[in-house]
PDB file of all heavy atoms in Angstrom:
ATOM      1  N   GLY X  15     130.796 108.407 107.241  1.00  0.00           N
ATOM      2  CA  GLY X  15     132.092 107.975 107.935  1.00  0.00           C
ATOM      3  C   GLY X  15     132.560 106.676 107.436  1.00  0.00           C
ATOM      4  O   GLY X  15     132.303 106.247 106.221  1.00  0.00           O
ATOM      5  N   THR X  16     133.391 105.994 108.231  1.00  0.00           N
ATOM      6  CA  THR X  16     134.006 104.734 107.830  1.00  0.00           C
ATOM      7  C   THR X  16     132.970 103.662 107.753  1.00  0.00           C
ATOM      8  O   THR X  16     131.991 103.634 108.595  1.00  0.00           O
ATOM      9  CB  THR X  16     135.025 104.308 108.911  1.00  0.00           C
ATOM     10  OG1 THR X  16     136.043 105.271 109.080  1.00  0.00           O
ATOM     11  CG2 THR X  16     135.635 102.997 108.552  1.00  0.00           C
ATOM     12  N   PRO X  17     132.891 102.826 106.639  1.00  0.00           N
ATOM     13  CA  PRO X  17     131.903 101.760 106.496  1.00  0.00           C
ATOM     14  C   PRO X  17     131.915 100.950 107.678  1.00  0.00           C
ATOM     15  O   PRO X  17     132.879 100.640 108.353  1.00  0.00           O
ATOM     16  CB  PRO X  17     132.331 101.037 105.265  1.00  0.00           C
ATOM     17  CG  PRO X  17     133.160 101.984 104.502  1.00  0.00           C
ATOM     18  CD  PRO X  17     133.842 102.829 105.540  1.00  0.00           C
ATOM     19  N   LEU X  18     130.699 100.298 108.022  1.00  0.00           N
ATOM     20  CA  LEU X  18     130.566  99.452 109.158  1.00  0.00           C
ATOM     21  C   LEU X  18     131.071  98.075 108.836  1.00  0.00           C
ATOM     22  O   LEU X  18     131.341  97.207 109.844  1.00  0.00           O
ATOM     23  CB  LEU X  18     129.086  99.264 109.559  1.00  0.00           C
ATOM     24  CG  LEU X  18     128.278 100.571 109.841  1.00  0.00           C
ATOM     25  CD1 LEU X  18     126.911 100.254 110.164  1.00  0.00           C
ATOM     26  CD2 LEU X  18     129.058 101.299 111.020  1.00  0.00           C
ATOM     27  N   PHE X  19     131.296  97.718 107.538  1.00  0.00           N
ATOM     28  CA  PHE X  19     131.856  96.371 107.211  1.00  0.00           C
ATOM     29  C   PHE X  19     132.976  96.495 106.220  1.00  0.00           C
ATOM     30  O   PHE X  19     133.057  97.503 105.428  1.00  0.00           O
ATOM     31  CB  PHE X  19     130.639  95.581 106.609  1.00  0.00           C
ATOM     32  CG  PHE X  19     129.545  95.374 107.382  1.00  0.00           C
ATOM     33  CD1 PHE X  19     128.390  96.182 107.285  1.00  0.00           C
ATOM     34  CD2 PHE X  19     129.418  94.406 108.398  1.00  0.00           C
ATOM     35  CE1 PHE X  19     127.239  96.048 108.086  1.00  0.00           C
ATOM     36  CE2 PHE X  19     128.290  94.234 109.241  1.00  0.00           C
ATOM     37  CZ  PHE X  19     127.227  95.023 109.053  1.00  0.00           C
ATOM     38  N   PRO X  20     133.786  95.487 106.153  1.00  0.00           N
ATOM     39  CA  PRO X  20     134.847  95.441 105.089  1.00  0.00           C
ATOM     40  C   PRO X  20     134.098  95.123 103.764  1.00  0.00           C
ATOM     41  O   PRO X  20     133.087  94.496 103.797  1.00  0.00           O
ATOM     42  CB  PRO X  20     135.726  94.250 105.473  1.00  0.00           C
ATOM     43  CG  PRO X  20     134.876  93.447 106.378  1.00  0.00           C
ATOM     44  CD  PRO X  20     133.952  94.362 107.102  1.00  0.00           C
ATOM     45  N   ALA X  21     134.578  95.676 102.649  1.00  0.00           N
ATOM     46  CA  ALA X  21     133.946  95.494 101.308  1.00  0.00           C
ATOM     47  C   ALA X  21     132.451  95.769 101.523  1.00  0.00           C
ATOM     48  O   ALA X  21     131.595  94.944 101.168  1.00  0.00           O
ATOM     49  CB  ALA X  21     134.172  94.114 100.840  1.00  0.00           C
ATOM     50  N   PRO X  22     132.105  97.054 101.813  1.00  0.00           N
ATOM     51  CA  PRO X  22     130.644  97.344 102.159  1.00  0.00           C
ATOM     52  C   PRO X  22     129.733  97.067 101.040  1.00  0.00           C
ATOM     53  O   PRO X  22     128.626  96.726 101.312  1.00  0.00           O
ATOM     54  CB  PRO X  22     130.729  98.858 102.588  1.00  0.00           C
ATOM     55  CG  PRO X  22     132.017  99.330 101.918  1.00  0.00           C
ATOM     56  CD  PRO X  22     132.967  98.201 101.987  1.00  0.00           C
ATOM     57  N   HIS X  23     130.132  97.296  99.828  1.00  0.00           N
ATOM     58  CA  HIS X  23     129.357  96.983  98.704  1.00  0.00           C
ATOM     59  C   HIS X  23     128.920  95.625  98.452  1.00  0.00           C
ATOM     60  O   HIS X  23     127.982  95.272  97.679  1.00  0.00           O
ATOM     61  CB  HIS X  23     129.967  97.585  97.371  1.00  0.00           C
ATOM     62  CG  HIS X  23     131.357  96.935  97.038  1.00  0.00           C
ATOM     63  ND1 HIS X  23     132.410  97.202  97.822  1.00  0.00           N
ATOM     64  CD2 HIS X  23     131.661  96.081  96.026  1.00  0.00           C
ATOM     65  CE1 HIS X  23     133.386  96.453  97.250  1.00  0.00           C
ATOM     66  NE2 HIS X  23     132.958  95.889  96.210  1.00  0.00           N
ATOM     67  N   LYS X  24     129.630  94.726  99.061  1.00  0.00           N
ATOM     68  CA  LYS X  24     129.375  93.271  98.975  1.00  0.00           C
ATOM     69  C   LYS X  24     128.555  92.764 100.167  1.00  0.00           C
ATOM     70  O   LYS X  24     128.123  91.614 100.165  1.00  0.00           O
ATOM     71  CB  LYS X  24     130.691  92.517  98.996  1.00  0.00           C
ATOM     72  CG  LYS X  24     131.597  92.728  97.759  1.00  0.00           C
ATOM     73  CD  LYS X  24     132.846  91.923  97.735  1.00  0.00           C
ATOM     74  CE  LYS X  24     133.639  92.132  96.605  1.00  0.00           C
ATOM     75  NZ  LYS X  24     133.063  91.567  95.402  1.00  0.00           N
ATOM     76  N   ARG X  25     128.079  93.620 101.061  1.00  0.00           N
ATOM     77  CA  ARG X  25     127.325  93.173 102.266  1.00  0.00           C
ATOM     78  C   ARG X  25     125.815  93.409 101.923  1.00  0.00           C
ATOM     79  O   ARG X  25     125.367  94.498 101.911  1.00  0.00           O
ATOM     80  CB  ARG X  25     127.666  94.004 103.487  1.00  0.00           C
ATOM     81  CG  ARG X  25     127.025  93.450 104.783  1.00  0.00           C
ATOM     82  CD  ARG X  25     127.379  92.142 105.172  1.00  0.00           C
ATOM     83  NE  ARG X  25     128.770  92.004 105.469  1.00  0.00           N
ATOM     84  CZ  ARG X  25     129.329  91.530 106.580  1.00  0.00           C
ATOM     85  NH1 ARG X  25     128.570  91.281 107.600  1.00  0.00           N
ATOM     86  NH2 ARG X  25     130.614  91.358 106.701  1.00  0.00           N
ATOM     87  N   ASP X  26     125.121  92.291 101.783  1.00  0.00           N
ATOM     88  CA  ASP X  26     123.709  92.335 101.424  1.00  0.00           C
ATOM     89  C   ASP X  26     122.931  93.095 102.484  1.00  0.00           C
ATOM     90  O   ASP X  26     123.104  92.868 103.635  1.00  0.00           O
ATOM     91  CB  ASP X  26     123.057  90.945 101.299  1.00  0.00           C
ATOM     92  CG  ASP X  26     123.717  90.217 100.037  1.00  0.00           C
ATOM     93  OD1 ASP X  26     124.129  90.832  99.211  1.00  0.00           O
ATOM     94  OD2 ASP X  26     123.624  88.931 100.047  1.00  0.00           O
ATOM     95  N   GLY X  27     122.075  94.043 102.089  1.00  0.00           N
ATOM     96  CA  GLY X  27     121.263  94.788 103.047  1.00  0.00           C
ATOM     97  C   GLY X  27     121.868  95.956 103.693  1.00  0.00           C
ATOM     98  O   GLY X  27     121.221  96.739 104.446  1.00  0.00           O
ATOM     99  N   TYR X  28     123.231  96.187 103.395  1.00  0.00           N
ATOM    100  CA  TYR X  28     123.876  97.422 103.891  1.00  0.00           C
ATOM    101  C   TYR X  28     124.127  98.388 102.787  1.00  0.00           C
ATOM    102  O   TYR X  28     124.756  98.217 101.864  1.00  0.00           O
ATOM    103  CB  TYR X  28     125.166  96.984 104.488  1.00  0.00           C
ATOM    104  CG  TYR X  28     126.047  98.158 104.946  1.00  0.00           C
ATOM    105  CD1 TYR X  28     125.564  99.001 105.983  1.00  0.00           C
ATOM    106  CD2 TYR X  28     127.317  98.428 104.486  1.00  0.00           C
ATOM    107  CE1 TYR X  28     126.358  99.896 106.536  1.00  0.00           C
ATOM    108  CE2 TYR X  28     128.005  99.577 104.964  1.00  0.00           C
ATOM    109  CZ  TYR X  28     127.598 100.310 105.957  1.00  0.00           C
ATOM    110  OH  TYR X  28     128.265 101.377 106.362  1.00  0.00           O
ATOM    111  N   LEU X  29     123.393  99.500 102.915  1.00  0.00           N
ATOM    112  CA  LEU X  29     123.430 100.555 101.880  1.00  0.00           C
ATOM    113  C   LEU X  29     124.101 101.755 102.416  1.00  0.00           C
ATOM    114  O   LEU X  29     123.811 102.155 103.546  1.00  0.00           O
ATOM    115  CB  LEU X  29     122.025 100.867 101.405  1.00  0.00           C
ATOM    116  CG  LEU X  29     121.087  99.567 101.046  1.00  0.00           C
ATOM    117  CD1 LEU X  29     119.765 100.001 100.837  1.00  0.00           C
ATOM    118  CD2 LEU X  29     121.695  98.937  99.856  1.00  0.00           C
ATOM    119  N   ARG X  30     124.937 102.439 101.579  1.00  0.00           N
ATOM    120  CA  ARG X  30     125.634 103.665 102.008  1.00  0.00           C
ATOM    121  C   ARG X  30     125.383 104.762 100.953  1.00  0.00           C
ATOM    122  O   ARG X  30     125.223 104.488  99.802  1.00  0.00           O
ATOM    123  CB  ARG X  30     127.152 103.438 102.136  1.00  0.00           C
ATOM    124  CG  ARG X  30     127.523 102.542 103.277  1.00  0.00           C
ATOM    125  CD  ARG X  30     129.016 102.296 103.269  1.00  0.00           C
ATOM    126  NE  ARG X  30     129.669 103.543 103.826  1.00  0.00           N
ATOM    127  CZ  ARG X  30     130.687 104.166 103.245  1.00  0.00           C
ATOM    128  NH1 ARG X  30     131.128 103.821 102.059  1.00  0.00           N
ATOM    129  NH2 ARG X  30     131.196 105.176 103.789  1.00  0.00           N
ATOM    130  N   ALA X  31     125.495 106.066 101.469  1.00  0.00           N
ATOM    131  CA  ALA X  31     125.457 107.129 100.543  1.00  0.00           C
ATOM    132  C   ALA X  31     126.073 108.334 101.259  1.00  0.00           C
ATOM    133  O   ALA X  31     126.045 108.503 102.508  1.00  0.00           O
ATOM    134  CB  ALA X  31     124.001 107.527 100.127  1.00  0.00           C
ATOM    135  N   ASP X  32     126.712 109.102 100.444  1.00  0.00           N
ATOM    136  CA  ASP X  32     127.298 110.367 100.957  1.00  0.00           C
ATOM    137  C   ASP X  32     126.216 111.329 101.416  1.00  0.00           C
ATOM    138  O   ASP X  32     125.446 111.706 100.421  1.00  0.00           O
ATOM    139  CB  ASP X  32     128.220 110.988  99.861  1.00  0.00           C
ATOM    140  CG  ASP X  32     128.854 112.360 100.331  1.00  0.00           C
ATOM    141  OD1 ASP X  32     128.542 112.829 101.419  1.00  0.00           O
ATOM    142  OD2 ASP X  32     129.703 112.802  99.563  1.00  0.00           O
ATOM    143  N   PRO X  33     126.082 111.745 102.530  1.00  0.00           N
ATOM    144  CA  PRO X  33     124.989 112.594 103.000  1.00  0.00           C
ATOM    145  C   PRO X  33     124.922 113.992 102.384  1.00  0.00           C
ATOM    146  O   PRO X  33     123.963 114.652 102.306  1.00  0.00           O
ATOM    147  CB  PRO X  33     125.186 112.712 104.543  1.00  0.00           C
ATOM    148  CG  PRO X  33     126.534 112.424 104.745  1.00  0.00           C
ATOM    149  CD  PRO X  33     127.033 111.385 103.727  1.00  0.00           C
ATOM    150  N   ALA X  34     126.129 114.344 101.725  1.00  0.00           N
ATOM    151  CA  ALA X  34     126.233 115.636 101.079  1.00  0.00           C
ATOM    152  C   ALA X  34     125.802 115.598  99.652  1.00  0.00           C
ATOM    153  O   ALA X  34     125.700 116.594  98.902  1.00  0.00           O
ATOM    154  CB  ALA X  34     127.663 116.170 101.136  1.00  0.00           C
ATOM    155  N   ASP X  35     125.453 114.346  99.162  1.00  0.00           N
ATOM    156  CA  ASP X  35     125.031 114.146  97.739  1.00  0.00           C
ATOM    157  C   ASP X  35     123.588 113.744  97.768  1.00  0.00           C
ATOM    158  O   ASP X  35     123.233 112.579  97.998  1.00  0.00           O
ATOM    159  CB  ASP X  35     125.859 113.034  97.095  1.00  0.00           C
ATOM    160  CG  ASP X  35     125.610 112.794  95.630  1.00  0.00           C
ATOM    161  OD1 ASP X  35     124.551 113.330  95.174  1.00  0.00           O
ATOM    162  OD2 ASP X  35     126.398 112.210  95.034  1.00  0.00           O
ATOM    163  N   PRO X  36     122.728 114.730  97.506  1.00  0.00           N
ATOM    164  CA  PRO X  36     121.155 114.380  97.506  1.00  0.00           C
ATOM    165  C   PRO X  36     120.787 113.283  96.550  1.00  0.00           C
ATOM    166  O   PRO X  36     119.921 112.484  96.859  1.00  0.00           O
ATOM    167  CB  PRO X  36     120.610 115.759  97.131  1.00  0.00           C
ATOM    168  CG  PRO X  36     121.600 116.737  97.477  1.00  0.00           C
ATOM    169  CD  PRO X  36     122.874 116.118  97.208  1.00  0.00           C
ATOM    170  N   LEU X  37     121.401 113.257  95.383  1.00  0.00           N
ATOM    171  CA  LEU X  37     121.058 112.250  94.396  1.00  0.00           C
ATOM    172  C   LEU X  37     121.470 110.847  94.883  1.00  0.00           C
ATOM    173  O   LEU X  37     120.650 109.849  94.787  1.00  0.00           O
ATOM    174  CB  LEU X  37     121.728 112.513  93.065  1.00  0.00           C
ATOM    175  CG  LEU X  37     121.386 111.576  91.956  1.00  0.00           C
ATOM    176  CD1 LEU X  37     119.915 111.553  91.602  1.00  0.00           C
ATOM    177  CD2 LEU X  37     122.084 111.967  90.674  1.00  0.00           C
ATOM    178  N   ALA X  38     122.641 110.743  95.499  1.00  0.00           N
ATOM    179  CA  ALA X  38     123.054 109.458  96.031  1.00  0.00           C
ATOM    180  C   ALA X  38     122.126 108.981  97.203  1.00  0.00           C
ATOM    181  O   ALA X  38     121.831 107.811  97.273  1.00  0.00           O
ATOM    182  CB  ALA X  38     124.529 109.534  96.507  1.00  0.00           C
ATOM    183  N   VAL X  39     121.762 109.977  98.034  1.00  0.00           N
ATOM    184  CA  VAL X  39     120.883 109.659  99.110  1.00  0.00           C
ATOM    185  C   VAL X  39     119.515 109.155  98.549  1.00  0.00           C
ATOM    186  O   VAL X  39     119.001 108.218  99.040  1.00  0.00           O
ATOM    187  CB  VAL X  39     120.641 110.850 100.080  1.00  0.00           C
ATOM    188  CG1 VAL X  39     119.588 110.594 101.057  1.00  0.00           C
ATOM    189  CG2 VAL X  39     121.977 111.181 100.721  1.00  0.00           C
ATOM    190  N   ALA X  40     119.021 109.879  97.544  1.00  0.00           N
ATOM    191  CA  ALA X  40     117.707 109.483  96.982  1.00  0.00           C
ATOM    192  C   ALA X  40     117.862 108.098  96.358  1.00  0.00           C
ATOM    193  O   ALA X  40     116.878 107.228  96.564  1.00  0.00           O
ATOM    194  CB  ALA X  40     117.316 110.462  95.878  1.00  0.00           C
ATOM    195  N   ASP X  41     118.926 107.761  95.731  1.00  0.00           N
ATOM    196  CA  ASP X  41     119.096 106.444  95.163  1.00  0.00           C
ATOM    197  C   ASP X  41     119.115 105.340  96.247  1.00  0.00           C
ATOM    198  O   ASP X  41     118.503 104.252  96.120  1.00  0.00           O
ATOM    199  CB  ASP X  41     120.416 106.319  94.380  1.00  0.00           C
ATOM    200  CG  ASP X  41     120.280 107.133  93.013  1.00  0.00           C
ATOM    201  OD1 ASP X  41     119.230 107.423  92.591  1.00  0.00           O
ATOM    202  OD2 ASP X  41     121.325 107.374  92.373  1.00  0.00           O
TER     203      ASP X  41
END
């Protein structure tokens, strides 16, 4: 869904992945 933070890739310790993408989840 919507990221929990603005600029989510810049928030240390906050990791996101598309649940429909197994490779992204594994990473």
Side-chain angles (χ1 to χ4, degrees):
T16 303
L18 301 181
F19 302 99
H23 58 290
K24 294 179 179 290
R25 183 65 60 121
D26 294 338
Y28 177 62
L29 309 172
R30 296 180 71 232
D32 180 353
D35 184 344
L37 183 58
V39 172
D41 288 344

